[in-house]
Amino acid sequence: MARIPALQGNGFSQETMLDMMKPKGKFYGVRGSFVIGDTKIGGHTTCHTLQFGRKLIIFDFGSGMIDIGNELMKRYLMPGKTIKDVDVFLNQYVAQGSDIKNLGQALLESGHLNQEEELDLTFMSSHVHGDHLFGAQAFKPIFSPKTKIHMIGGLHCGMNLFEVMQQFNFRPPVFPVPWEYLGSKRDLRVIEPNEHFEIENDLQPIKVWVLPMNHPNGSYGYRFEWCGHVIAVTLDHEHGKDEFDKNIVRLWEGADVVVTEVQYTKKMYEDKRQGYGHITAEAAAQHAIEAKPKRIITTHHDPDADYDTVQEIARTIERHSHIQTTFAVQGMVF
Ligand SMILES: [Zn+2]
Ligand SMILES: [Zn+2]
């Protein structure tokens, strides 16, 4: 059983303690490549949370970030104020040509936000393709001086996460509010391939291991260990290159939960999709047979994949590997 470090004797029941020590998560965007209009599985691009005790990690910044941003923003609001009010305030401030430099301070003084709540968030990034990036503009807490964001990500084409956000997300004429005038306080950790590091947390630090994966412009997979639990997150990657295939197996090895992209059936892949940077159900099953994780959740579903195809991908992995496999649906918790 997992070690129970700091909570012993704090009056919590054994059951409550074990539950607090169990990492959790929620899917806010489960599509890869492009946003689509699908109400059955969900149409937002990749974004999910990982919750380790009180530490909230937001993993990738696809369009699903809109919803997690609005959920978090509700904690800030004065009684009677709504997300819509904040939206109107921000848009009118910009539209009226007010001083963009003071947007954060103006939001603070607008009477929309309560005095108590502060958010401390960690953003982690697999890579910076558009489907993992452009939701950040709609993440309302990023405009508030009451939000602290610790960003973690690697280099892609020599650019770090701050530089990418600055150049492609928050910069006129693409977006009216420049990166440097966002109200939130942000810091950055640039990860190296094959790096081990820790994220401070209640009970125990979260141990993180990062390995590079095979994907155009580079992509990183993560393995998290906390309070005896292991979660692996391997978004965009393609099979077929031995050194990278081995990395996937290392990250998945014995994990309690693997959250991974599996975008294609074998047939889809063989129909001119080699080299796009995504894996098939059959290849993922092969990794699973070697790594023996306890559970797999597929996400980053292809925009062309309907419910039956997404289901078939999960079933194929389970049939080949005999490891419990489900597919993520927008709003699903784990
Ligand atoms: Zn993607
Ligand atoms: Zn990608």
Side-chain angles (χ1 to χ4, degrees):
M1 196 178 74
R3 201 160 63 87
I4 303 171
L7 283 175
Q8 232 136 19
N10 282 4
F12 294 104
S13 74
Q14 177 85 349
E15 235 170 60
T16 307
M17 283 194 284
L18 288 175
D19 188 59
M20 286 165 83
M21 290 162 52
K22 210 172 156 199
K24 298 169 182 73
K26 181 173 175 182
F27 290 95
Y28 289 87
V30 299
R31 287 282 171 184
S33 307
F34 301 104
V35 175
I36 59 162
D38 171 30
T39 51
K40 219 167 169 186
I41 294 172
H44 275 316
T45 62
T46 301
C47 176
H48 67 85
T49 56
L50 295 172
Q51 182 92 46
F52 298 93
R54 262 178 278 177
K55 175 70 73 185
L56 181 69
I57 295 176
I58 297 178
F59 204 101
D60 278 0
F61 327 125
S63 65
M65 257 203 134
I66 298 167
D67 294 339
I68 172 79
N70 289 349
E71 263 181 36
L72 292 168
M73 197 77 203
K74 279 183 193 156
R75 296 192 201 165
Y76 279 148
L77 296 177
M78 287 294 279
K81 296 287 183 185
T82 65
I83 297 292
K84 174 85 179 154
D85 296 330
V86 174
D87 204 41
V88 169
F89 172 81
L90 291 171
N91 278 295
Q92 284 190 343
Y93 189 88
V94 175
Q96 284 161 1
S98 310
D99 186 2
I100 296 281
K101 281 195 196 86
N102 288 326
L103 176 63
Q105 192 57 32
L107 176 61
L108 211 55
E109 290 165 3
S110 67
H112 290 83
L113 308 184
N114 65 45
Q115 295 307 306
E116 299 80 42
E117 197 70 44
E118 300 216 334
L119 286 181
D120 191 287
L121 306 171
T122 301
F123 282 11
M124 295 188 83
S125 162
S126 66
H127 69 308
V128 292
H129 282 158
D131 52 325
H132 301 252
L133 193 69
F134 291 127
Q137 294 158 338
F139 184 79
K140 290 192 187 66
I142 209 167
F143 299 98
S144 167
K146 290 159 80 76
T147 306
K148 256 191 227 159
I149 302 173
H150 313 286
M151 299 182 92
I152 300 174
L155 289 177
H156 301 277
C157 301
M159 293 176 78
N160 69 41
L161 209 45
F162 269 19
E163 289 163 337
V164 171
M165 289 267 177
Q166 196 166 26
Q167 293 221 23
F168 301 109
N169 255 6
F170 296 95
R171 182 187 170 108
V174 174
F175 194 75
V177 186
W179 173 251
E180 49 276 29
Y181 299 151
L182 297 173
S184 53
K185 297 169 194 75
R186 283 148 283 138
D187 58 57
L188 174 68
R189 174 183 201 112
V190 180
I191 49 164
E192 302 281 338
N194 199 13
E195 187 178 341
H196 293 262
F197 62 91
E198 290 188 348
I199 298 174
E200 279 310 309
N201 197 16
D202 300 338
L203 305 178
Q204 277 180 8
I206 305 162
K207 286 186 182 157
V208 189
W209 185 23
V210 194
L211 286 172
M213 305 188 292
N214 178 31
H215 192 64
N217 311 129
S219 181
Y220 291 93
Y222 294 80
R223 180 182 171 97
F224 301 88
E225 294 188 39
W226 183 69
C227 291
H229 296 276
V230 176
I231 294 190
V233 180
T234 51
L235 294 180
D236 300 23
H237 67 279
E238 183 169 352
H239 57 290
K241 288 192 176 161
D242 195 43
E243 57 176 303
F244 291 112
D245 287 352
K246 280 188 184 135
N247 285 350
I248 303 299
V249 174
R250 285 186 191 120
L251 294 170
W252 290 12
E253 191 94 59
D256 296 284
V257 181
V258 166
V259 175
T260 186
E261 82 122 303
V262 184
Q263 198 157 333
Y264 300 141
T265 61
K266 201 167 174 228
K267 189 164 170 287
M268 287 164 80
Y269 185 74
E270 283 169 359
D271 185 18
K272 300 191 182 70
R273 289 183 174 96
Q274 291 99 329
Y276 285 21
H278 303 292
I279 191 171
T280 64
E282 287 76 2
Q286 198 51 49
H287 294 333
I289 289 165
E290 288 182 54
K292 298 182 182 61
K294 295 187 182 72
R295 183 183 173 201
I296 296 170
I297 307 173
T298 64
T299 184
H300 198 276
H301 311 308
D302 193 85
D304 291 334
D306 59 12
Y307 187 93
D308 289 346
T309 307
V310 170
Q311 187 177 55
E312 179 53 27
I313 287 170
R315 283 185 178 167
T316 302
I317 299 168
E318 188 167 286
R319 197 167 55 240
H320 287 243
S321 67
H322 304 290
I323 289 162
Q324 186 202 341
T325 306
T326 46
F327 57 91
V329 171
Q330 201 171 298
M332 187 179 113
V333 294
F334 62 94

